[in-house]
């Protein structure tokens, strides 16, 4: 891998969606009760929404900006280079045992966009990583190198360029295991059928720079929803004031694809753990497609795989160490009071439902809160639709309208009454077909 010298410790890129670049929101430590107002040079806190920390305070105050680290127990003593006693080389569609799975390795070369003097092109950043844009270096066949050109070569001819990549690179040493874990998750998912329909394309783990290599997809759902909101404010019309900001057909398409994607994840034993608009990339659909965008899940650094080795032993299941209150289910928010919290399938359903509220109104349902403590209190109440209806775009989720009907059962405060992903999928299909 050809990587130019730069001030950052290592070339990595954060999954696009886990970064909202310039929101300026703070990271607030619940453990110590003190907001972090200064940022260290070697890491950048997530921009939106703020992250709350639970559990014991870290020895290093710089660690207050840490996000959730759900690393599989079997990785605790694993060499982050990817060495293991049993190496598995997965192929598409192959069923693999999670405990013995090593990440797919990326062995090609790439060049990071930008320069040392002007800075490298970032697609996003977060507490643990930075996502850089890069271009894969095309491989030149040996026969071409040994054969002289049959005609003069123009000095002005542009060199061949490869595909655009997103390189998720650790911002500090503590992030190495986190990204190694994410690479294992992505390897596991991409060994299942239809993964390319729902998950960001993954090219492998760069063991040299401890980076995750993916497709570069610059647009995420958070930025798209904000753009749509600004457009509706500029071009307000009473005729569309009851429709989602991105228009009804696009919202239906996004909802259908994202719910189908959640069914895919849960059916394959994957709990995402951090679903929110910034962790959903929007890949522009090909011409002729009925949908403008294909939404893809990314940032699996907080994810876990349910398998026989940990399903029956709750002591081995990694607990959540940080939450994003806007998208956290009420039961997970109890972790802020010292109760152990574990990412679950019902929590994923709730988080996606809140995400689809944001896609409908263009902002967080708790955006009206004047203080972070107030926002946290509102989120604990589990009344997402009620708070969203009080906002200036509340008409878009009125009772009886399409958004409210699709989301209300997925936003049940009681997780026992909340839809599963499959129940939600069936319900939404029935509503849309009516």
């Amino acid at each position: 891998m050809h990587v130019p010298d730069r001030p950052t410790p290592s070339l990595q890129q954060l999954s696009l969606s886990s970064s909202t670049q310039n929101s300026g929101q703070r990271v607030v430590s619940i453990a110590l009760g003190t907001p972090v107002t200064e940022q260290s040079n070697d890491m950048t806190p997530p921009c939106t929404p703020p992250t709350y920390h639970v559990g014991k305070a870290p020895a290093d105050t710089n660690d207050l900006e840490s996000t959730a680290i759900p690393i599989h127990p079997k990785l605790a003593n694993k060499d982050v280079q990817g060495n293991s006693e049993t190496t598995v080389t997965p192929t598409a569609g192959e069923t693999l045992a999670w405990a013995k799975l090593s990440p797919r390795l990326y062995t090609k070369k790439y060049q990071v966009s930008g320069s040392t003097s002007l800075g490298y092109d970032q697609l996003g950043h977060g507490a643990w990583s930075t996502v850089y844009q890069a271009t894969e270096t095309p491989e030149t066949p040996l026969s071409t190198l040994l054969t002289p050109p049959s005609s003069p070569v123009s000095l002005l001819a542009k060199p061949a360029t490869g595909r655009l990549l997103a390189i998720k690179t650790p911002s500090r040493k503590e992030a190495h295991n986190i990204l190694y874990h994410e690479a294992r998750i992505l390897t596991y998912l991409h060994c299942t059928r239809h993964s390319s329909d729902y998950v960001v394309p993954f090219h492998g783990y760069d063991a040299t720079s401890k980076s995750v290599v993916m497709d570069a997809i610059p647009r995420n759902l958070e930025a798209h929803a904000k753009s749509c909101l600004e457009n509706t404010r500029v071009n307000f019309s009473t005729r569309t004031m009851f429709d989602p900001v991105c228009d009804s057909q696009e919202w239906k398409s996004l909802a259908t694809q994202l719910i189908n994607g959640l069914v895919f994840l849960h059916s394959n034993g994957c709990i995402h753990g951090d679903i929110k608009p910034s962790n959903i990339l929007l890949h522009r659909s090909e011409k002729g497609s009925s949908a403008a965008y294909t939404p893809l899940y990314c940032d699996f650094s907080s994810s876990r795989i349910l398998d026989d080795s940990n399903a029956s032993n709750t002591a081995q299941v990694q607990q959540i160490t940080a939450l994003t209150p806007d998208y956290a289910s009420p039961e997970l928010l109890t972790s802020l009071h010292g109760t152990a919290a574990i990412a679950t399938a019902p929590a994923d359903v709730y988080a996606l439902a809140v995400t689809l509220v944001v896609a409908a109104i263009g902002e967080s349902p708790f955006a009206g809160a004047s203080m972070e403590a107030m926002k946290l209190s509102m989120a604990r109440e589990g009344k997402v639709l009620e708070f969203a209806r009080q906002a200036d775009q509340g008409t878009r989720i009125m009772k009886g309208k399409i958004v409210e009907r699709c989301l209300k059962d997925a936003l049940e405060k009681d997780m026992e009454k909340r839809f599963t992903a499959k129940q939600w999928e069936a319900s939404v299909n029935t509503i849309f077909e009516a």
Side-chain angles (χ1 to χ4, degrees):
M1 177 187 74
H2 176 67
V3 181
D5 295 334
R6 62 188 178 285
T8 55
S10 134
L11 266 185
Q12 161 204 358
Q13 166 180 359
L14 168 70
S15 329
L16 289 181
S17 28
S18 67
S19 69
T20 314
Q21 298 185 4
N22 298 308
S23 68
Q25 292 188 333
R26 301 175 301 163
V27 174
V28 182
S29 167
I30 296 299
L32 299 182
T34 17
V36 177
T37 55
E38 295 183 2
Q39 303 173 6
S40 60
N41 293 330
D42 60 347
M43 58 178 280
T44 307
C47 32
T48 62
T51 298
Y52 291 85
H53 302 274
V54 296
K56 296 180 180 179
D60 185 350
T61 55
N62 287 333
D63 286 345
L64 290 176
E65 295 161 307
S66 302
T67 55
I69 320 174
I71 299 177
H72 193 280
K74 295 187 181 297
L75 285 181
N77 300 315
K78 195 170 188 64
D79 183 349
V80 296
Q81 292 280 356
N83 301 323
S84 60
E85 296 179 359
T86 303
T87 301
V88 179
T89 304
T91 57
E94 182 181 6
T95 301
L96 298 175
W98 164 252
K100 295 185 178 181
L101 181 67
S102 295
R104 176 194 304 165
L105 295 180
Y106 182 82
T107 58
K108 298 183 180 181
K109 298 179 180 181
Y110 56 82
Q111 175 69 49
V112 177
S113 305
S115 64
T116 305
S117 58
L118 299 177
Y120 297 104
D121 295 342
Q122 292 187 19
L123 294 173
H125 57 253
W128 295 107
S129 57
T130 302
V131 181
Y132 293 96
Q133 179 171 297
T135 302
E136 191 170 74
T137 305
E139 297 181 2
T140 304
L142 182 61
S143 59
T144 302
L145 295 175
L146 298 178
T147 305
S150 56
S151 59
V153 178
S154 172
L155 296 177
L156 299 178
K158 293 183 179 180
T161 57
R163 60 188 170 189
L164 288 178
L165 300 174
I167 313 298
K168 184 175 183 178
T169 305
S171 298
R172 51 180 177 166
K173 186 176 181 180
E174 293 84 349
H176 291 176
N177 272 349
I178 299 174
L179 295 188
Y180 182 84
H181 171 73
E182 181 173 5
R184 292 184 72 219
I185 294 277
L186 288 168
T187 299
Y188 178 88
L189 291 174
H190 280 287
C191 289
T192 62
R193 293 182 178 180
H194 309 299
S195 62
S196 59
D197 295 337
Y198 308 115
V199 179
V200 59
F202 168 66
H203 301 299
Y205 177 72
D206 183 350
T208 302
S209 62
K210 312 297 188 298
S211 302
V212 177
V213 182
M214 303 164 287
D215 265 8
I217 304 176
R219 194 168 187 82
N220 63 44
L221 182 56
E222 181 176 55
H224 182 64
K226 287 181 178 180
S227 175
C228 291
L229 175 60
E230 292 304 315
N231 184 57
T232 57
R233 284 173 170 166
V234 172
N235 303 294
F236 176 77
S237 170
T238 55
R239 191 174 47 135
T240 59
M241 64 184 294
F242 295 101
D243 298 332
V245 292
C246 58
D247 84 52
S248 292
Q249 285 306 118
E250 182 175 299
W251 187 88
K252 288 179 182 180
S253 175
L254 290 172
T256 299
Q257 293 179 82
L258 286 170
I259 295 170
N260 291 347
L262 190 61
V263 171
F264 164 81
L265 293 178
H266 289 180
S267 297
N268 286 287
C270 178
I271 307 300
H272 188 283
D274 193 22
I275 296 176
K276 53 187 177 183
S278 62
N279 283 344
I280 295 171
L281 305 179
L282 298 181
H283 178 69
R284 188 169 290 280
S285 301
E286 297 179 0
K287 292 183 178 180
S289 174
S290 58
Y293 296 99
T294 298
L296 301 171
Y297 287 98
C298 72
D299 193 356
F300 288 84
S301 57
S302 295
S303 303
R304 63 190 184 98
I305 299 295
L306 303 176
D307 65 355
D308 294 338
S309 66
N310 65 23
S312 60
N313 188 354
T314 55
Q316 290 187 352
V317 177
Q318 181 67 33
Q319 297 176 359
I320 293 176
T321 57
L323 294 174
T324 304
D326 297 55
Y327 306 97
S329 61
E331 68 270 15
L332 285 185
L333 287 174
T334 60
S335 63
L336 296 180
H337 293 292
T339 304
I342 297 172
T344 63
D348 271 0
V349 169
Y350 191 93
L352 179 55
V354 179
T355 295
L356 290 172
V357 170
V358 174
I361 65 175
E363 59 187 359
S364 168
F366 312 116
S370 57
M371 297 181 294
E372 295 302 329
M374 181 184 297
K375 179 184 290 187
L376 185 60
S377 177
M378 293 165 68
R380 283 200 192 100
E381 292 185 38
K383 299 179 179 179
V384 175
L385 293 173
E386 288 85 341
F387 286 122
R389 277 194 283 266
Q390 296 174 19
D392 61 347
Q393 301 297 320
T395 57
R396 303 182 188 280
I397 51 173
M398 297 296 291
K399 286 186 177 181
K401 296 295 182 181
I402 192 74
V403 175
E404 191 263 354
R405 289 164 55 205
C406 288
L407 303 184
K408 62 180 182 179
D409 292 309
L411 287 169
E412 277 284 351
K413 182 176 181 179
D414 185 347
M415 63 182 291
E416 299 298 330
K417 297 179 181 179
R418 194 178 304 153
F419 269 170
T420 64
K422 285 190 175 182
Q423 289 174 330
W424 193 12
E425 180 184 49
S427 173
V428 167
N429 288 339
T430 300
I431 291 172
F432 289 165
E433 291 171 1

